[in-house]
């Protein structure tokens, strides 16, 4: 949205920070190959008595931007499904079961629809699941305890991706505390 000379995003900042270089690259490419520059039109709306003005971009710039920005979500969705596949090796050794569950998780859940549009939830889901996976591997003694620091960083990035992810940080912390090596983990 555009208000009082400033642009405001309706998303948490992480995805916007990731999207800025992607959008800037696309806009530069667009300006090189297409002659249309903004037509100066604006979309105006009112919200709680405040006028919100959004510039209307040329169709090719807008369409290309939407496609590229959706690919960011698709990348996070693909990484989430790949991580689900990796995690399943701890629960079943049957490769066919792992593949079936992974396919169902990828196309039979909200992962698919959230991966096709520019949404913050899919990035937060991936980052939270990655954090859980790291903690899980620490608890299985496959990673050293020092890897809890990156797990905490990744979960903080999830909150920067989607604010409601903050509600899932305490359960991750409790999961860390539910370890036999609790005293050793708390030293770090």
């Amino acid at each position: 949205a555009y208000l009082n000379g400033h642009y405001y995003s309706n998303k948490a900042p992480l995805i916007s920070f990731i999207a800025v270089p992607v959008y800037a690259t696309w806009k530069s490419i667009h300006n090189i190959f297409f002659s249309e520059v903004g037509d100066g039109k604006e979309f105006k709306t009112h919200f709680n008595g405040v006028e919100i003005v959004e510039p209307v971009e040329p169709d090719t710039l807008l369409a290309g931007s939407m496609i590229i920005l959706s690919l960011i979500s698709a990348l996070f969705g693909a990484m989430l499904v790949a991580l689900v596949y990796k995690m399943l090796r701890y629960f079943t050794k049957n490769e066919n079961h792992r593949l079936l569950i992974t396919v169902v998780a990828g196309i039979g859940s909200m992962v698919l629809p959230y991966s096709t549009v520019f949404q913050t939830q899919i990035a937060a889901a991936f980052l939270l699941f990655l954090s859980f996976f790291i903690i899980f591997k620490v608890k299985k003694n496959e990673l050293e305890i020092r890897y809890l620091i990156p797990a905490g960083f990744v979960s903080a990035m999830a909150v920067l991706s989607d604010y409601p992810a903050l509600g899932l940080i305490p359960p991750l912390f409790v999961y860390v505390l539910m370890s036999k090596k609790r005293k050793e983990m708390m030293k770090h």
Side-chain angles (χ1 to χ4, degrees):
Y2 184 77
L3 177 66
N4 297 330
H6 298 281
Y7 288 97
Y8 296 94
S9 175
N10 65 346
K11 309 272 187 252
L14 181 67
I15 302 301
S16 297
F17 292 155
I18 293 170
V20 165
V22 174
Y23 175 79
T25 302
W26 168 248
K27 190 168 183 176
S28 297
I29 291 169
H30 176 270
N31 289 342
I32 291 169
F33 293 105
F34 299 96
S35 60
E36 49 184 280
V37 183
D39 59 5
K41 294 181 184 174
E42 297 175 333
F43 174 75
K44 294 183 182 182
T45 187
H46 289 82
F47 181 73
N48 289 338
V50 177
E51 182 179 57
I52 300 172
V53 180
E54 296 185 52
V56 176
E57 298 284 353
D59 289 342
T60 54
L61 179 61
L62 181 62
S65 298
M66 289 172 59
I67 291 168
I68 289 171
L69 294 176
S70 294
L71 289 177
I72 293 170
S73 294
L75 178 63
F76 279 111
M79 291 188 302
L80 176 60
V81 170
L83 197 54
V84 166
Y85 176 78
K86 244 178 122 80
M87 182 76 171
L88 285 171
R89 107 178 140 93
Y90 294 96
F91 300 99
T92 181
K93 300 298 179 202
N94 187 320
E95 183 69 18
N96 290 332
H97 290 164
R98 287 172 60 194
L99 288 171
L100 177 65
I101 294 168
T102 301
V103 168
V104 169
I107 58 177
S109 69
M110 293 305 289
V111 171
L112 181 62
Y114 279 113
S115 295
T116 59
V117 292
F118 187 60
Q119 291 289 332
T120 59
Q121 292 87 354
I122 197 69
F126 166 72
L127 293 166
L128 284 169
F129 196 67
L130 178 60
S131 180
F132 171 76
F133 186 67
I134 293 169
I135 296 167
F136 181 82
K137 289 187 76 151
V138 167
K139 290 179 75 159
K140 291 271 189 194
N141 293 319
E142 292 181 19
L143 291 175
E144 296 176 24
I145 290 175
R146 64 186 172 101
Y147 283 93
L148 291 176
I149 293 169
F153 178 76
V154 169
S155 60
M157 297 298 284
V159 175
L160 286 175
S161 172
D162 192 41
Y163 299 129
L166 181 62
L168 293 173
I169 304 299
L172 283 174
F173 187 70
V174 168
Y175 182 61
V176 169
L177 293 178
M178 291 173 42
S179 172
K180 294 176 184 171
K181 302 184 300 180
R182 184 171 49 232
K183 289 181 183 174
E184 188 180 345
M185 287 182 176
M186 290 299 107
K187 284 189 233 175
H188 297 279

